[in-house]
């Protein structure tokens, strides 16, 4: 078999995506290879297909158990023998899997990095032909990455011990130059082929909303997207609990996920979501790595993540099938503070030495700043992200909230003057909370103790909503009228620029997105409601085709249940959509549908053919 036959037969696709072929050819020529492609671009195939063509075993290094399980599950469904070796196996299962591996049963084996240099694994690896080591999520080797894992450094140690150096390939979705250079240096790639593909995911709509009532905004969104599958990310477990509870009260079918739940509940909730039993999941960032659910139609962020890498990765879980999907971030000023706390108390960094920890922390702070700017930029949001990853966009994408909504120039001079005045007259001694409480005229013991109720600006901004005050304060920080010290007691200080603010002629203008609190009804009015769950909104389907889609979806659900796999592993929404258009009634017609390969056809093809044939008879075509 050649690479095209494998692509068709095992994966059911006719053509390689841009870059996949280059990367695969490079590996097959025996060259070290680095692929930098965004989430959903199809990195797995780039090492899986060569693994089937190379003589010897391919080891895939992957950071997470769930990631390995998902991938191995998909491979087995595609008729490829693969296994994983990690701490989720009992010692008995582990030895058994190693035994099969020794017997040459698996062309592809997923291994956790910390396993590599253990005596049992080395004993196996030193007596087997290892054709390639593929490092997935390779940014984990870099301190510049958002997800540095010291155990990834064991990869180099491991390769050094092998009698013959295998081909090395590495893949990541993080495209900053620092990370790329680190991967090449640390993994010691030999003159690698490096391929970076466009990070743009044009099917994703990006939006930022700074709203007063965050929960209300999310609920409104969900009301207009009933029956679609989506993820709602929260910053903290507490938020997950709150949001989930309120949504249940408001009548939504929703589940939750965070690290505080028992393993069992997490597994169950995750499965309910993946298997389409429950369309919505409220989760912390603990959820999602390795989740390849392709029909996620939206990812809402109830709170700003700690850096653009995390945001793009989490948001990128929407629309993996290539259909239109939405990514909306609901920002609140408090998010910055929460993230600052996360950075300071990051447990993951405990194993690092002091110097490294300080470096990592500083980089984390820089990234948080970039993330905050994303929430305030007036430029095209897509462009902002692409620039962050070192690409140049077109300034205007027409598919983000900044490109689409009209911005309002708001004169915030009065608010700014009062805030700066309050900071100045209290001798730059206090933090954000005291300043805001003062101008709002709060009657707290703290304010009285500090004598801030005597401050000339006390209560002067009583009527301005707190979120607007935070927005202006943030704006002043971004415009360098003030800064917040990084000490244990964060204090707001003025800059040279703010020295003459109350007297200057110049007005302080701020671009704020016009707040349209659209109700569920008005949004729905312009849009024909689609019954079909997860059907891409722009699919031009007749009513008949919608009925067919619905039937195929139900059939998929039954088959998935019987096989105990998630529905998208049977066929993706995109494949079902394509089926509705092609309406195949023979095997060869069915094989032209994108995502249907020989193996999938063997397993699931017949019932789908029958379903379509019956439908065609009924509708007289
Ligand atoms: P990544 O690891 O880059 O985030 P994956 O390897 O998980 O992405 O692939 C994302 C999705 O794209 C999967 O559903 C996969 O089956 C699909 N895919 C990969 N290559 C192709 C292709 N050539 N044609 C169509 N779909 C593809
Ligand atoms: Mg991947
Ligand atoms: Zn845009």
């Amino acid at each position: 078999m050649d690479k095209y036959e494998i692509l068709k037969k095992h994966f059911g696709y006719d053509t390689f995506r841009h870059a996949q072929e280059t990367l695969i050819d490079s590996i097959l020529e025996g060259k070290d290879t680095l692929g930098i492609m965004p989430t959903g671009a199809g990195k797995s195939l780039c090492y899986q297909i060569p693994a089937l063509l190379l003589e010897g075993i391919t080891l895939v290094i992957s950071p997470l158990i769930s990631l390995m399980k998902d991938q191995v599950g998909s491979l087995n469904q595609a008729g490829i023998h693969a296994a994983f070796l990690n701490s989720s196996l009992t010692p008995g299962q582990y030895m058994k899997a190693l035994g099969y591996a020794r017997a040459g049963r698996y062309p592809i084996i997923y291994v956790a990095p910390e396993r590599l240099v253990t005596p049992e694994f080395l004993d196996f690896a030193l007596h087997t032909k290892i054709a390639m080591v593929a490092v997935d999520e390779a940014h984990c080797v870099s301190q510049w990455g958002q997800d540095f894992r010291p155990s990834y450094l064991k990869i180099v140690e491991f390769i050094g011990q092998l009698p013959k150096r295998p081909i090395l390939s590495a893949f990541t979705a993080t495209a900053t130059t620092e990370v790329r250079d680190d991967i090449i240096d640390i993994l010691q790639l030999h003159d690698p082929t490096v391929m970076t593909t466009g990070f743009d995911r044009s099917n994703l709509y990006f939006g930022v909303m700074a709203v007063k009532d965050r929960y209300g905004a999310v609920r409104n969104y969900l009301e207009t997207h009933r029956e679609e599958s989506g993820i709602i990310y929260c910053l903290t477990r507490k938020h997950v609990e709150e949001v989930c509870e309120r949504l249940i009260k408001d009548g939504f079918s929703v589940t939750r996920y965070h690290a505080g739940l028992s393993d069992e509940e997490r597994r169950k909730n995750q499965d309910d979501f993946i298997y389409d039993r429950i369309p919505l999941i409220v989760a912390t960032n603990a959820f999602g790595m390795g989740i390849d659910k392709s029909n996620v139609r939206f990812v809402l962020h109830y709170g700003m993540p700690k850096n653009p890498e995390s945001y793009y990765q989490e948001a990128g879980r929407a629309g993996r099938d290539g259909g239109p999907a939405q990514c909306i971030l609901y920002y609140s000023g408090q998010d910055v503070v929460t993230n600052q706390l996360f950075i300071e108390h990051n447990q993951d960094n405990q194993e690092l030495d002091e110097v490294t920890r300080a470096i990592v922390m500083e980089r984390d702070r820089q990234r948080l700043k970039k993330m905050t700017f994303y929430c305030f930029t007036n430029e095209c949001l897509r462009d902002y992200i692409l620039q962050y990853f070192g690409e140049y966009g077109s300034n205007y994408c027409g598919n983000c909230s900044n490109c689409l909504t009209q911005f309002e120039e708001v004169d915030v001079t009065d608010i700014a003057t009062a805030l700066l005045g309050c900071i100045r007259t209290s001798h730059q001694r206090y933090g954000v909370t005291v300043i805001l409480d003062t101008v709002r005229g709060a009657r707290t013991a703290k304010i009285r103790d500090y004598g801030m109720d005597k401050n000339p600006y006390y209560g002067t901004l009583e009527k301005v909503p707190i979120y607007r005050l935070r927005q202006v304060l943030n704006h002043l920080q971004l415009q360098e009228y003030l800064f917040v010290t990084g000490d244990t007691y964060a204090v707001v200080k003025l800059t040279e620029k703010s020295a003459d603010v109350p007297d200057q002629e110049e007005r302080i203008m701020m671009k704020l997105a016009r707040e349209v609190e659209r109700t569920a009804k008005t949004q729905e009015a312009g849009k024909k409601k689609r019954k079909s769950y997860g059907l891409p909104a722009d699919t031009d389907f007749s009513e008949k085709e919608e009925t067919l889609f619905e039937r195929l979806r139900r059939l998929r659900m039954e088959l998935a249940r019987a096989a105990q796999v998630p529905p998208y592993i049977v066929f993706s929404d995109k494949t079902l959509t394509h089926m509705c258009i092609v309406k195949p009634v023979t095997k060869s017609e069915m094989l032209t549908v994108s995502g249907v390969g020989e193996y999938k056809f063997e397993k699931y093809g017949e019932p789908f053919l029958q379903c379509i044939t019956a439908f065609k008879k009924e509708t007289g075509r």
Side-chain angles (χ1 to χ4, degrees):
M1 276 211 282
D2 64 17
K3 61 184 179 195
Y4 301 107
E5 283 162 352
I6 295 177
L7 181 70
K8 184 69 188 155
K9 195 157 178 193
H10 288 283
F11 298 96
Y13 301 128
D14 291 321
T15 50
F16 284 106
R17 287 182 178 153
H18 175 61
Q20 282 179 326
E21 204 163 357
T22 314
L23 290 164
I24 290 171
D25 289 345
S26 159
I27 293 173
L28 292 177
E29 278 166 29
K31 288 194 67 184
D32 283 0
T33 300
L34 170 58
I36 304 173
M37 295 152 88
T39 311
K43 291 184 282 296
S44 323
L45 285 192
C46 300
Y47 55 81
Q48 288 167 347
I49 289 184
L52 298 179
L53 291 167
L54 293 170
E55 198 186 309
I57 292 176
T58 288
L59 299 177
V60 183
I61 317 299
S62 173
L64 286 183
I65 291 173
S66 62
L67 210 70
M68 298 189 201
K69 255 176 83 177
D70 207 64
Q71 299 255 328
V72 168
S74 291
L75 285 171
N76 290 336
Q77 288 291 316
I80 297 165
H81 288 295
F84 55 78
L85 298 173
N86 60 37
S87 60
S88 74
L89 302 180
T90 63
Q93 290 171 324
Y94 186 77
M95 292 320 284
K96 196 167 156 194
L98 262 186
Y100 282 141
R102 270 203 190 89
R105 175 161 171 169
Y106 309 118
I108 304 179
I109 301 174
Y110 283 73
V111 197
E114 56 276 5
R115 289 272 152 173
L116 290 172
V117 288
T118 58
E120 302 88 34
F121 189 79
L122 275 177
D123 181 56
F124 155 70
L126 296 180
H127 298 99
T128 318
K129 181 164 165 52
I130 312 281
M132 168 164 66
V133 172
V135 184
D136 204 2
E137 313 291 345
H139 58 273
C140 291
V141 299
S142 169
Q143 290 168 13
W144 285 101
Q146 76 279 22
D147 202 13
F148 175 50
R149 279 164 202 263
S151 62
Y152 257 57
L153 302 176
K154 296 208 195 309
I155 299 170
V156 189
E157 200 184 318
F158 169 72
I159 290 168
Q161 300 197 31
L162 295 176
K164 183 168 180 300
R165 186 179 181 279
I167 303 167
L168 266 179
S169 61
F171 299 88
T172 178
T174 302
T176 55
T177 37
E178 295 89 351
V179 171
R180 189 194 58 201
D181 293 347
D182 259 9
I183 292 174
I184 295 174
D185 292 346
I186 295 171
L187 290 179
Q188 298 168 20
L189 301 184
H190 292 177
D191 183 25
T193 307
V194 182
M195 182 85 197
T196 308
T197 59
F199 264 65
D200 188 15
R201 301 268 314 274
S202 56
N203 62 318
L204 301 185
Y205 163 90
F206 287 97
V208 173
M209 283 180 103
V211 285
K212 201 171 15 173
D213 175 9
R214 205 159 26 171
Y215 176 77
V218 167
R219 192 195 50 216
N220 266 355
Y221 183 91
L222 298 179
E223 270 165 9
T224 57
H225 293 82
R226 292 249 178 207
E227 297 177 64
E228 290 181 2
S229 190
I231 307 173
I232 301 142
Y233 277 111
C234 298
L235 287 191
T236 62
R237 295 175 192 183
K238 195 164 147 259
H239 278 166
V240 171
E241 294 294 335
E242 282 169 16
V243 172
C244 188
E245 208 166 291
R246 290 182 73 178
L247 286 175
I248 290 171
K249 275 207 191 104
D250 284 336
F252 289 93
S253 169
V254 52
T255 186
R256 60 182 180 168
Y257 190 103
H258 60 68
L261 302 174
S262 69
D263 286 354
E264 200 189 320
E265 184 180 351
R266 260 186 303 174
R267 199 171 321 121
K268 179 178 177 304
N269 295 355
Q270 173 172 322
D271 284 353
D272 281 346
F273 178 68
I274 290 179
Y275 288 70
D276 280 343
R277 293 189 286 257
I278 295 183
L280 300 174
I281 192 160
V282 187
T284 60
N285 62 3
F287 177 76
M289 254 261 230
I291 306 283
D292 189 19
K293 185 169 163 38
S294 61
N295 65 335
V296 175
R297 293 270 68 85
F298 55 83
V299 172
L300 308 183
H301 275 79
Y302 188 91
M304 178 187 74
K306 62 182 190 294
N307 55 50
E309 287 93 339
S310 306
Y311 181 64
Y312 206 50
Q313 200 165 56
E314 286 160 20
R317 296 197 174 112
R320 290 183 72 127
D321 53 12
Q326 301 199 309
C327 313
I328 302 173
L329 198 167
Y330 297 88
Y331 170 84
S332 144
Q334 191 59 34
D335 298 342
V336 181
V337 182
T338 310
N339 278 306
Q340 258 157 2
L341 287 176
F342 284 155
I343 291 173
E344 261 141 59
H345 302 284
N346 189 348
Q347 295 297 324
D348 294 347
N349 294 345
Q350 297 309 317
E351 53 184 308
L352 307 180
D353 63 88
E354 220 165 289
V355 178
T356 315
R357 192 157 64 218
I359 297 174
V360 168
M361 241 182 182
E362 183 48 34
R363 288 172 186 171
D364 286 348
R365 287 200 197 98
Q366 292 298 331
R367 277 196 283 260
L368 174 57
K369 217 179 205 170
K370 290 274 167 51
M371 188 67 231
T372 313
F373 287 4
Y374 174 80
C375 299
F376 284 91
T377 179
N378 296 326
E379 319 274 295
C380 169
L381 293 174
R382 187 183 312 278
D383 215 50
Y384 183 93
I385 295 178
L386 292 179
Q387 283 197 26
Y388 179 83
F389 288 120
E391 277 186 34
Y392 293 92
S394 56
N395 288 322
Y396 178 89
C397 75
N399 192 23
C400 78
S401 58
N402 283 1
C403 287
L404 291 177
T405 57
Q406 287 194 338
F407 276 77
E408 232 172 5
E409 282 272 334
V410 183
D411 186 333
V412 294
T413 315
D414 294 345
I415 298 177
T417 309
L419 286 171
L420 295 172
C422 180
I423 296 165
R424 181 178 305 112
T425 51
S426 58
H427 308 290
Q428 311 181 40
R429 272 182 306 192
Y430 301 114
V432 171
T433 316
V434 172
I435 299 299
L436 292 182
D437 279 354
T438 304
V439 294
R440 298 181 71 220
R443 282 179 250 279
T444 64
K446 202 171 178 184
I447 292 295
R448 275 195 303 276
D449 288 350
Y450 290 162
M452 287 300 273
D453 49 348
K454 311 265 172 1
N455 184 283
Y457 294 93
Y458 181 76
T460 49
L461 298 179
E462 207 172 30
K463 296 220 166 62
V464 184
I466 180 81
Y467 71 94
R468 180 51 53 88
L469 292 180
R470 285 194 191 278
Q471 281 175 333
V472 176
L473 208 65
N474 260 311
H475 181 70
L476 292 174
Q477 197 176 340
L478 292 182
Q479 298 300 317
E480 297 180 335
Y481 285 101
L482 53 82
F483 66 99
V484 180
T485 61
D487 313 341
T488 331
Y489 301 102
V491 171
V492 192
K493 301 265 188 201
L494 300 175
T495 62
E496 256 171 53
K497 192 172 173 184
S498 48
D500 56 359
V501 161
D503 316 308
Q504 69 183 4
E505 299 267 295
E506 204 183 312
R507 311 297 294 170
I508 299 180
M509 304 299 287
M510 196 176 158
K511 276 199 179 157
L512 289 166
R514 220 170 257 143
E515 254 177 56
V516 252
E517 298 251 348
R518 273 184 288 180
T519 62
K521 280 213 179 88
T522 53
Q523 274 199 9
E524 205 49 39
K527 182 179 143 202
K528 185 174 149 266
K529 183 126 182 63
R530 288 208 175 269
K531 276 194 270 67
S532 309
Y533 179 88
L535 185 63
D538 71 343
T539 312
D540 199 10
F541 265 12
S542 66
E543 226 161 87
K544 273 184 189 165
E545 280 160 341
E546 278 191 29
T547 314
L548 178 59
F549 184 83
E550 197 51 47
R551 279 194 204 174
L552 296 180
R553 202 171 71 79
R554 237 178 291 139
L555 175 60
R556 176 178 69 176
M557 190 67 148
E558 282 164 26
L559 294 173
R561 249 187 218 143
Q564 299 194 334
V565 295
Y568 68 81
I569 291 223
V570 175
F571 288 127
S572 70
D573 276 10
K574 204 162 187 192
T575 300
L576 293 194
T577 307
H578 199 187
M579 251 182 233
C580 290
I581 294 164
V582 179
K583 298 188 194 65
V585 290
T586 65
K587 177 177 174 182
S588 60
E589 283 171 3
M590 184 60 108
L591 287 174
T592 65
V593 172
S594 169
V596 186
E598 289 274 352
Y599 285 91
K600 285 275 179 80
F601 184 84
E602 284 298 307
K603 275 204 164 87
Y604 309 112
E606 273 308 325
F608 281 91
L609 282 181
Q610 283 168 17
C611 182
I612 296 166
T613 311
F615 177 82
K616 275 186 145 174
K617 274 209 187 104
E618 267 172 55
T619 54
R621 287 196 230 180

